[in-house]
Amino acid sequence: MHATDSLIHRGTPAFRRTNLALFAAGLATFGLLYCVQPLMPQFSQHYGISAATSALSLSLTTGVLAFAMLFAGGISDALGRKSVMVASLLSSAVLVLLTALMPNWYALLTLRTLLGITLSGLPAVAMTYLTEEMHAESIGLGMGLYISGSAIGGMSGRLIAGVVADVAGWRVGVGVVGVIGLTSGLVFWKALPPSRHFRPQALQWRALFARFAGIFRDPGLPWLFLEGFLLLGAFVTVYNYLGYRLMAPPFNLSQTVVGLIFGIYLVGTFSSAWMGHLAGKLGRRKVLWTAFALMLLGVACTMTASLWLIMLGITAITFGFFGGHSIVSSWVGRRGGAAKAQASSMYLFSYYMGSSVAGWSGGLFYAADHWLGVALFVGALVLIGLLIALRLYRLPPLPQLVTPPTPMSKGAMP
């Protein structure tokens, strides 16, 4: 049998099983990661902690995740793709279930920190598995379903936790998300076909670090990494502290309504594809700045006293974020060249570090001047991103070569 004959092709039972598994994986991963975001006001009330301290429940996870993803791919080279991904999902779900039982804040933070390590095994390895096991003509749909699961997981984890918490408390809300994650992990384990083309490789740390160092010699990549930091940093900060503002006077919204607001997240599934297509047609350098400009306009809308304008502003921020991320991540893949995997990993590192650092720092600005402080902080991040986008407009283009998609060029979810 030829090697290509054993690859997974569209329309086969193995293809359907793989798609089901990857959809479940995306659903679980990002639901487990972001389920605490709408619960931060409840954490503040329950444990008597500040907004910035409450935000550590997400910032610690994403910070550790950023570092762990740099090495998860190398570990899977030695231990195997499916085994690393299955262990990642199941252990993460168990940690989230245990989080619902923690008696104090420091125990909760410990588990959320460990979650950053365990979660890293799936997003860092999923695309590698697809590249090895699936026929090139079928990879696009498979990765698309993983991203769809990620988008739905990111939204539903936030929404379910928020709505259930309003009725039965935050512990039950987190527990429900944990059960969904565990169920999705079991589906992934049973449905995903075993690796047939994986060949174990010894970890070669010196060569790995040399490839990472090489990507910083490109004149554009370091700026694109910073754009990823600014994009997710601004986006997560807005959603981290939005609940504090809307549950306080004069709005006095319930936890359920605030949880439902996370449905705005769905506009990203349209904007990422639309702006990505527009950038491919007109050029990334000509479109990227518009994403930051739209986010800046959205931040200005959130500073008003009108709930409708605030919702319009959140929509604009979400639309601009997903569009900007789609453009920047594909641009990184384009400029990564032979070190595409390392460029992708470094971009994701910067991306999630933005969530960790800015997401926590926003709480200090909230403590200083409530939402006005948060809006000014986010506005500064977006303005810096806009200035960098204008600088990238003058970046000399690379030769016109066709490059295959990378994990993040398909859009890693926030």
Side-chain angles (χ1 to χ4, degrees):
M1 179 182 292
H2 296 292
T4 54
D5 294 335
S6 60
L7 292 172
I8 298 173
H9 289 261
R10 184 195 298 249
T12 63
F15 182 78
R16 289 189 288 271
R17 289 173 55 202
T18 302
N19 286 341
L20 172 62
L22 289 175
F23 181 86
L27 184 72
T29 300
F30 292 92
L32 296 170
L33 177 60
Y34 284 105
C35 65
V36 296
Q37 197 169 43
L39 305 178
M40 290 176 186
Q42 288 203 15
F43 291 158
S44 291
Q45 183 179 9
H46 183 85
Y47 291 109
I49 55 179
S50 68
T53 303
S54 182
L56 289 173
S57 60
L58 180 58
S59 292
L60 284 175
T61 310
T62 53
V64 172
L65 174 66
F67 280 99
M69 286 183 68
L70 293 174
F71 307 103
I75 292 172
S76 76
D77 286 341
L79 301 182
R81 312 300 184 205
K82 182 174 179 178
S83 58
V84 169
M85 290 190 289
V86 169
S88 170
L89 281 183
L90 295 182
S91 59
S92 297
V94 170
L95 285 175
V96 170
L97 285 170
L98 292 175
T99 298
L101 306 175
M102 288 301 97
N104 59 65
W105 178 243
Y106 296 105
L108 186 149
L109 286 185
T110 299
L111 291 187
R112 290 293 300 180
T113 302
L114 292 174
L115 182 66
I117 299 173
T118 58
L119 275 178
S120 67
L122 194 127
V125 179
M127 186 61 184
T128 305
Y129 172 90
L130 282 176
T131 303
E132 291 175 344
E133 304 299 331
M134 192 170 283
H135 193 275
E137 295 178 356
S138 306
I139 289 177
L141 179 57
M143 197 63 196
L145 284 171
Y146 167 64
I147 297 302
S148 297
S150 302
I152 295 172
M155 182 198 72
S156 61
R158 294 167 165 107
L159 192 153
I160 291 171
V163 172
V164 174
D166 202 24
V167 177
W170 70 263
R171 294 184 186 276
V172 178
V174 170
V176 169
V177 174
V179 169
I180 294 173
L182 184 60
T183 303
S184 299
L186 293 172
V187 169
F188 176 83
W189 185 13
K190 296 299 182 183
L192 188 73
S195 297
R196 301 182 66 181
H197 300 273
F198 168 73
R199 299 292 180 268
Q201 302 177 33
L203 293 175
Q204 298 178 339
W205 295 111
R206 183 175 297 179
L208 180 63
F209 285 122
R211 288 194 295 271
F212 272 115
I215 62 179
F216 285 93
R217 289 193 286 269
D218 181 270
L221 284 175
W223 293 107
L224 292 171
F225 298 154
L226 182 55
E227 290 287 62
F229 178 97
L230 295 167
L231 279 166
L232 190 57
F235 179 76
V236 166
T237 300
V238 167
Y239 276 94
N240 275 1
Y241 305 103
L242 178 65
Y244 287 94
R245 185 185 189 195
L246 297 182
M247 293 172 69
F251 304 110
N252 296 310
L253 299 183
S254 68
Q255 178 72 67
T256 296
V257 175
V258 171
L260 291 173
I261 289 171
F262 284 94
I264 294 174
Y265 191 92
L266 286 178
V267 305
T269 61
F270 166 76
S271 69
S272 59
W274 183 75
M275 291 194 73
H277 172 73
L278 193 65
K281 189 175 181 180
L282 302 178
R284 298 177 182 90
R285 67 193 68 241
K286 294 181 179 179
V287 180
L288 177 59
W289 71 270
T290 64
F292 284 98
L294 184 60
M295 291 180 72
L296 198 58
L297 179 62
V299 172
C301 288
T302 68
M303 298 171 71
T304 67
S306 166
L307 183 59
W308 289 109
L309 277 178
I310 292 172
M311 293 300 99
L312 180 63
I314 298 299
T315 303
I317 291 169
T318 304
F319 192 102
F321 161 74
F322 275 99
H325 171 53
S326 175
I327 295 168
V328 174
S329 60
S330 65
W331 205 346
V332 169
R334 174 77 174 86
R335 297 194 70 92
K340 197 180 308 298
Q342 287 70 43
S344 301
S345 297
M346 186 55 65
Y347 174 75
L348 291 174
F349 170 79
S350 304
Y351 181 74
Y352 284 110
M353 282 304 294
S355 170
S356 179
V357 175
W360 173 78
S361 301
L364 303 179
F365 288 88
Y366 183 84
D369 206 4
H370 299 288
W371 185 259
L372 177 62
V374 172
L376 291 175
F377 172 62
V378 172
L381 295 177
V382 175
L383 181 59
I384 294 171
L386 176 59
L387 294 175
I388 293 174
L390 295 175
R391 186 186 191 282
L392 288 169
Y393 193 92
R394 300 189 296 273
L395 180 69
L398 293 172
Q400 292 298 315
L401 299 173
V402 177
T403 57
T406 63
M408 3 71 57
S409 72
K410 286 294 184 180
M413 288 293 110

